Amino acid sequence: MAGALEGVKVVELGLWVAAPSAAAMLSDWGAQVIKIEPPQGDPFRGLFASLMGSPVTVNPPFETDNRGKRSVALNLESEEAREIAFRLIEGADVFVTNMRPRALDQFGLSYKELSRRYPRLVYCQVTGYGPDGPDRDRAAYDVGAFWSRAGVAAALTPAGAEIPQQRGGMGDHMAGTAAAGAVCAALLAREKTGKGQRVAVSLLRMGVYMMSWDVSLALRLKAPIVPYDRQHAINPIITCYKSGGGRWFWLLLLQADRHWGDLCRAIEREELMTDSRFENIEQRRANGPALVAELDAVFVTKSMAQWGEIFDRHDVWWAPVNSINEVVEDPMAQAAGAFAEISGPDGPIPVVATPADFTDTPQAPRGAVPELGQHTEEVLLELGYNWDQIVALKERGAIP
């Protein structure tokens, strides 16, 4: 059965992760995506090998955000190559990019220019700090705009601790998800008005939105936002604990007074319910280090599997703290549809699924990641170029 976006054509001029991930999601949802790359390719193609420190034949992170697309390599410094890009965009419903605005201006691919040429086009622009402000061209990556400048890293760093490292693509993938949703909303609006528009997502805005609980407290109440560790959690029974054997788990008892009795009965420490230090959430918060110490001493006496059975029997909400390798093997993640497969030359290749499902228009990866420029000639023939013209474009450096 066709995906929800069957028949929608997308042209992506994206590098690294944020815009490519948005286009990959649109592809999973059924859209046809053409990825325009420079002659040397999206720089993310080669980064993984350099990070690994040795030659590798696969690049799983790049595959995640570029599967199911067709790759067209164009030297946009060439006027002829830019004409090819215009012809591709002319036949598209959506243009997705995270190129810096000054580069888009240079190539004639700004929103102002493309909306003038193609009024029905949905123009999706992902930036670090917004497409119109003073830092529109500032280099960002999600580590800069999302993790660092939006307050995410600082909010996760208790006093005296070192700033934690961000894992690759965290803010990028959140921004890409928001961008894909915004594109769909703009396509719906176009059905009503007949007119396209720009949708803009910035990594900075994405980070601020992700931290909106804390940010809203600072905005409305001018409250100081102070990071805390597990000994000083606002609610000591919605934090992590270590079981015997060293496995960590997270208690999920957000409604602290409602769940407190269930926890005490589950761990066979009912006397804690009448301990004046812990009689309500206010006291448990004030005496957090003491309560954490009490619970630490209890939880190391049994394995996480044993505690899991006990918690489930007593309706104590919890979750294991999985490593990434444990997530891959977790039957719950598998049952939730977190993984998918694409066809490869040597058989199926496991991949991460995009995070939305549809009952009547199933989403799924549309194919493997393309090689650099794999579809250049094919797409040019579809645009009406003949082989003599294609050879001439190669000779003049418009295409590799």
Side-chain angles (χ1 to χ4, degrees), residues 199-221:
V199 298
V201 175
S202 75
L203 293 164
L204 178 63
R205 281 271 296 277
M206 196 72 249
V208 171
Y209 182 74
M210 192 187 80
M211 301 303 300
S212 57
W213 281 14
D214 284 344
V215 174
S216 64
L217 290 172
L219 280 173
R220 293 288 301 280
L221 304 178

Side-chain angles (χ1 to χ4, degrees), residues 13-211:
L13 181 61
L15 304 172
W16 302 107
V17 179
S21 71
M25 193 168 295
L26 298 174
S27 172
D28 276 13
W29 297 347
Q32 302 172 47
V33 179
I34 291 177
K35 179 182 179 74
I36 296 176
E37 299 191 63
Q40 65 273 25
D42 182 333
F44 196 22
R45 284 184 178 272
L47 181 70
F48 187 66
S50 67
L51 291 177
M52 294 296 289
S54 61
V56 291
T57 57
V58 297
N59 185 340
F62 183 79
E63 292 169 357
T64 296
D65 299 317
N66 291 281
R67 65 198 186 206
K69 303 175 184 178
R70 295 199 289 172
S71 171
V72 172
L74 298 177
N75 174 15
L76 293 176
E77 300 288 342
S78 161
E79 184 177 346
E80 289 180 301
R82 293 195 295 274
E83 183 57 35
I84 294 170
F86 291 138
R87 291 176 66 172
L88 286 172
I89 296 167
E90 181 180 16
D93 299 286
V94 181
F95 178 66
V96 179
T97 186
N98 61 343
M99 295 281 286
R100 283 194 256 184
R102 70 185 182 202
L104 296 168
D105 292 342
Q106 175 188 344
F107 296 141
L109 297 171
S110 67
Y111 171 64
K112 180 178 179 181
E113 178 62 23
L114 292 188
S115 64
R116 181 187 66 80
R117 285 174 174 253
Y118 317 117
R120 287 179 53 82
L121 182 70
V122 171
Y123 188 107
C124 177
Q125 190 167 12
V126 183
T127 61
Y129 301 107
D132 303 315
D135 283 342
R136 66 197 293 263
D137 290 309
R138 179 181 290 275
Y141 297 118
D142 64 342
V143 177
F146 167 87
W147 182 251
S148 298
R149 198 161 183 176
V152 179
L156 298 175
T157 309
E162 293 188 351
I163 299 288
Q165 291 289 307
Q166 179 190 295
R167 305 302 294 182
M170 288 170 56
D172 285 325
H173 283 136
M174 291 187 67
T177 302
V183 163
C184 292
L187 288 171
L188 178 61
R190 192 183 70 175
E191 290 296 305
K192 302 173 183 177
T193 66
K195 189 176 183 300
Q197 61 182 299
R198 182 181 71 176
V199 298
V201 175
S202 75
L203 293 164
L204 178 63
R205 281 271 296 277
M206 196 72 249
V208 171
Y209 182 74
M210 192 187 80
M211 301 303 300

Side-chain angles (χ1 to χ4, degrees), residues 306-350:
Q306 291 173 310
W307 282 121
E309 293 177 1
I310 293 169
F311 292 157
D312 289 346
R313 188 164 63 247
H314 287 269
D315 196 28
V316 172
W317 302 355
W318 73 286
V321 176
N322 281 344
S323 70
I324 294 297
N325 296 93
E326 288 164 341
V327 171
V328 170
E329 301 298 330
D330 191 330
M332 186 68 72
Q334 295 169 3
F339 313 111
E341 289 184 344
I342 58 176
S343 298
D346 301 315
I349 299 172

Side-chain angles (χ1 to χ4, degrees), residues 357-382:
D357 291 320
F358 303 79
T359 56
D360 297 332
T361 53
Q363 65 87 20
R366 305 290 156 171
V369 63
E371 296 178 6
L372 171 61
Q374 177 180 340
H375 303 95
T376 303
E377 290 88 351
E378 175 184 300
V379 169
L380 288 175
L381 291 170
E382 292 172 2

